[in-house]
Amino acid sequence: MDRSRGINDYEPGPVPSESRVDRYGFIKQNVSNSSAAEGLGKSREARRVRKWRKMIGVGGSDWKHYVRRKPHVVKRRIRKGIPDCLRGLVWQLISGSRDLLLMNPGVYEQLVIYETSASELDIIRDISRTFPTHVFFQQRHGPGQRSLYNVLKAYSVFDRAVGYVQGMGFLAGLLLLYMSEEDAFWLLVALLKGAVHAPMEGLYQVGLPLVQQYLFQFEHLVREHLPKLGEHFSREMINPSMYASQWFITVFSYSFPFPLALRIWDVFLFEGVKIVFKVGLALLKYCHDDLINLSFEKLIHALRNFPEDAMNPDILLPMAYSIKVSRSLGESKIEYEKQNRKPKIEA
Amino acid sequence: MAYKVDHEYDYLFKIVLIGDSGVGKSNILSRFTRNEFCLESKSTIGVEFATRTLQVEGKTVKAQIWDTAGQERYRAITSAYYRGAVGALLVYDITKRQTFDNVLRWLRELRDHADSNIVIMMAGNKSDLNHLRAVSTEDAQSLAESEGLSFMETSALEAFNIEKAFQTVLLDIYQIIRKKALAAQESASGTGVPQGTTINVNNMSDNANKKPCCST
């Protein structure tokens, strides 16, 4: 909390007068009990940080060794949530972005300073529309907005076929709250180009092919895991593009409570996109009995406004972890490719 | 069926909000459905949805409005939502010439994906920024005439003409339907269209059910 208090001093933007920020830097609209939900005791938190520091080593020097030796311990600890003070560093280690950075010295600077992008105006148009309630991004042309612009512009030059697509800003914005511009850029590259997991650039390529595939696969999963609800959805003509596009395009960073989004990202970067499907299913499962009684319009509303208790990471995530999706995802992918007569590209 | 079907309206009209990114579509929607305007709004990812019920010629009409992401790349997802729409609000920003020049591309999109009889209102939004105007009212008017569109300048911020723009679209749709209904049953008596029916301007006979027509 203390970390961000000073920022208010130089913030002349249209901030509501009695505004306060939460521990992540978002302007509080109304007094919520989110800090109570953060309920980790101080000493417990400190113990966790010590464990993590040992696991990582100085500047991440022991990380690879530890992961190789005890992958299950790492997985379990990440699923419990990476300590906030180490999050930025750990994200870079588990995403493979740190290696990319080291292998490409000077490249980011080159992209930002010397290249021009056809997407510059599109990026500028959206800068103030990305996390508009976060202090870091609120100030017009302030450091937050400038970094966001630079990262997005650099990526649009780095991959001109993708360029800039709405939604990328939320990924970049989330990363920038935990690391420098250059680090955020390489993490974006690692994700979209597939440094560790399958590449996700298809989320943003022309035709949004990967979005379409994920939505198809998600619908498949709903019918398999929640057959009654799946049937209800099709009777009410609800399809995942109406509620889940944002989940995939921004990996839950667009409209979900920040503490939940961060916990999802911890797992997402280590285990891959599967967690997005799992969390989506867990949300539907948690609200199943309510959803099944709603008709079209109320459904759409409910699917965009989950109750607060459903979005408590300590309730939702254990539920998500318990859902198995791998087999079904594999099958539905093959089916999707058959239907769309697409050549297999990625693993 | 276990759930309650909404019967609180005579007609359900599906409307799409389209136009370039950043012209104010989402704020037009929130102004019309909730009387809200947000200066710090996020860009729309995918589609958003809201409804409002109002009176048109003494009938209760529910407008079911789909707000779409404006960036071209998103048409891969959003164009599916044109299907079954009986009205469209095609929005440009009077302070950005490019968004007006793109109106023709949006019309082409509608012709490719929507019903041919769709009622289209072109809205020149942000009229409160008159000092930054880059599109004259005359230019817009003549385009509207040549393309057969209704036209209005609007301001979601000042709540100017938003109500009127939607009212006009809904009234136009209603009148088309009345005409069709009358023609379809010149000899028959009675009110014609059953209560709570979704109306497709293009082909009325298809729509004997009461489901919203918004599947992809």
Side-chain angles (χ1 to χ4, degrees):
Chain A
M1 274 177 203
D2 291 324
R3 189 174 58 173
S4 30
R5 189 165 294 153
I7 292 172
N8 279 337
D9 300 346
Y10 67 79
E11 174 49 62
V15 180
S17 53
E18 78 280 31
S19 77
R20 279 176 45 222
V21 294
D22 64 16
R23 69 175 283 198
Y24 301 103
F26 285 91
I27 309 287
K28 279 186 174 173
Q29 302 298 348
N30 41 32
V31 185
S32 86
N33 56 356
S34 62
S35 50
E38 301 290 311
L40 265 187
K42 276 261 159 64
S43 65
R44 215 174 123 204
E45 173 98 37
R47 216 165 43 236
R48 281 184 58 223
V49 172
R50 271 201 303 278
K51 266 197 227 171
W52 269 89
R53 282 197 197 285
K54 221 169 115 189
M55 185 161 74
I56 297 167
V58 180
S61 53
D62 296 341
W63 175 257
K64 281 186 181 165
H65 185 60
Y66 201 101
V67 176
R68 218 172 302 128
R69 253 183 36 233
K70 297 183 175 174
H72 295 292
V73 175
V74 174
K75 183 173 168 180
R76 196 178 64 229
R77 285 189 183 161
I78 286 177
R79 284 185 168 200
K80 284 183 186 165
I82 300 168
D84 208 48
C85 60
L86 297 172
R87 204 162 239 143
L89 173 61
V90 175
W91 280 3
Q92 293 173 57
L93 295 171
I94 60 185
S95 66
S97 75
R98 178 51 67 93
D99 297 332
L100 288 175
L101 171 81
L102 297 174
M103 285 187 295
N104 295 280
V107 170
Y108 178 72
E109 198 187 336
Q110 170 76 27
L111 294 172
V112 171
I113 299 177
Y114 299 104
E115 304 278 350
T116 55
S117 159
S119 312
E120 282 169 21
L121 290 176
D122 287 349
I123 296 170
I124 289 169
R125 183 198 57 214
D126 286 339
I127 287 293
S128 64
R129 305 203 289 160
T130 308
F131 294 125
T133 60
H134 194 285
V135 283
F136 187 54
F137 297 113
Q138 270 211 330
Q139 194 188 18
R140 229 166 201 284
H141 311 302
Q145 293 201 356
R146 274 202 309 269
S147 310
L148 187 57
Y149 173 79
N150 287 343
V151 171
L152 293 171
K153 186 208 135 178
Y155 195 86
S156 72
V157 176
F158 178 79
D159 184 346
R160 292 186 190 268
V162 164
Y164 164 73
V165 182
Q166 290 180 325
M168 294 169 77
F170 289 90
L171 266 63
L174 180 87
L175 297 173
L176 282 169
L177 296 176
Y178 285 90
M179 59 194 76
S180 75
E181 259 180 64
E182 189 173 12
D183 293 333
F185 168 77
W186 287 111
L187 208 157
L188 205 55
V189 173
L191 275 181
L192 299 188
K193 293 295 178 187
V196 176
H197 302 286
M200 292 180 74
E201 56 190 343
L203 286 178
Y204 303 116
Q205 284 165 338
V206 176
L208 313 182
L210 200 54
V211 180
Q212 316 246 30
Q213 181 197 313
Y214 286 164
L215 293 174
F216 177 90
Q217 289 177 296
F218 190 72
E219 191 162 32
H220 212 266
L221 280 169
V222 172
R223 279 201 302 264
E224 182 182 317
H225 288 264
L226 308 162
K228 268 190 176 165
L229 190 61
E231 216 171 276
H232 180 62
F233 280 174
S234 55
R235 217 173 20 232
E236 289 298 323
M237 300 192 188
I238 295 278
N239 68 62
S241 88
M242 294 170 183
Y243 60 92
S245 312
Q246 299 167 359
W247 298 355
F248 292 109
I249 292 171
T250 69
V251 193
F252 285 111
S253 64
Y254 180 76
S255 60
F256 278 70
F258 207 62
L260 174 60
L262 293 172
R263 291 282 303 274
I264 295 172
W265 271 72
D266 291 344
V267 181
F268 164 66
L269 292 175
F270 191 62
E271 300 183 28
V273 75
K274 264 193 305 190
I275 189 65
V276 180
F277 290 93
K278 291 179 179 189
V279 169
L281 281 174
L283 278 166
L284 297 185
K285 197 173 168 189
Y286 187 87
C287 303
H288 183 275
D289 295 351
D290 294 326
L291 296 174
I292 203 125
N293 289 313
L294 299 178
S295 57
F296 179 77
E297 279 169 22
K298 296 205 169 96
L299 263 176
I300 295 251
H301 182 79
L303 290 166
R304 290 169 169 282
N305 300 277
F306 289 99
E308 209 169 308
D309 53 329
M311 296 193 291
N312 178 345
D314 294 320
I315 295 173
L316 186 67
L317 292 179
M319 203 164 163
Y321 301 149
S322 72
I323 303 174
K324 300 283 171 264
V325 297
S326 297
R327 185 190 43 79
S328 175
L329 282 180
E331 287 170 6
S332 56
K333 187 176 175 211
I334 291 168
E335 195 180 322
Y336 180 80
E337 280 163 354
K338 220 188 286 167
Q339 281 185 20
N340 290 270
R341 286 189 208 91
K342 264 194 191 156
K344 282 181 201 171
I345 300 166
E346 30 179 276
Chain B
M1 272 178 267
Y3 50 89
K4 186 169 155 282
V5 177
D6 218 336
H7 272 312
E8 289 143 14
Y9 50 84
D10 300 309
Y11 297 98
L12 176 63
F13 294 157
K14 177 177 166 182
I15 313 279
V16 287
L17 259 169
I18 58 170
D20 279 9
S21 187
V23 298
K25 297 181 293 297
S26 299
N27 270 316
I28 286 178
L29 179 66
S30 66
R31 177 62 81 192
F32 179 64
T33 58
R34 301 191 303 275
N35 198 21
E36 286 172 13
F37 181 91
C38 183
L39 265 176
E40 302 174 338
S41 59
K42 287 186 272 192
S43 43
T44 304
I45 307 291
V47 290
E48 296 285 344
F49 171 86
T51 63
R52 188 176 144 193
T53 304
L54 60 174
Q55 296 295 314
V56 176
E57 301 265 284
K59 296 284 180 191
T60 307
V61 170
K62 183 171 215 166
Q64 189 186 74
I65 307 159
W66 292 90
D67 173 26
T68 59
Q71 200 182 10
E72 181 155 3
R73 193 97 28 117
Y74 274 94
R75 290 186 206 170
I77 293 181
T78 55
S79 62
Y81 289 83
Y82 300 171
R83 232 193 78 201
V86 290
L89 208 65
L90 201 178
V91 188
Y92 68 91
D93 174 350
I94 67 154
T95 73
K96 295 217 171 65
R97 184 77 203 183
Q98 184 70 46
T99 67
F100 177 69
D101 294 339
N102 282 341
V103 163
L104 287 174
R105 298 176 65 180
W106 285 106
L107 285 174
R108 213 178 309 135
E109 274 289 298
L110 281 176
R111 284 189 196 116
D112 289 349
H113 299 281
D115 299 334
S116 54
N117 286 359
I118 191 169
V119 171
I120 304 169
M121 161 74 72
M122 182 170 76
N125 195 37
K126 308 196 188 180
S127 68
D128 51 286
L129 298 176
N130 199 33
H131 55 295
L132 299 172
R133 180 185 285 276
V135 182
S136 73
T137 311
E138 294 72 41
D139 280 4
Q141 234 143 20
S142 70
L143 177 72
E145 267 164 43
S146 66
E147 295 293 326
L149 318 170
S150 310
F151 166 63
M152 233 170 251
E153 289 194 348
T154 58
S155 166
L157 185 138
E158 293 179 340
F160 171 68
N161 269 350
I162 301 295
E163 192 77 19
K164 200 170 160 196
F166 278 103
Q167 281 276 3
T168 308
V169 171
L170 295 171
L171 183 63
D172 286 354
I173 297 168
Y174 177 71
Q175 280 167 349
I176 290 173
I177 280 157
R178 289 301 299 165
K179 233 181 280 170
K180 285 209 169 194
L182 289 174
Q185 28 156 315
E186 352 171 39
S187 57
S189 57
T191 53
V193 186
Q195 291 233 324
T197 300
T198 297
I199 300 300
N200 184 323
V201 179
N202 211 19
N203 188 355
M204 293 220 6
S205 56
D206 272 353
N207 286 273
N209 66 66
K210 53 194 174 316
K211 285 289 174 61
C213 46
C214 31
S215 63
T216 52

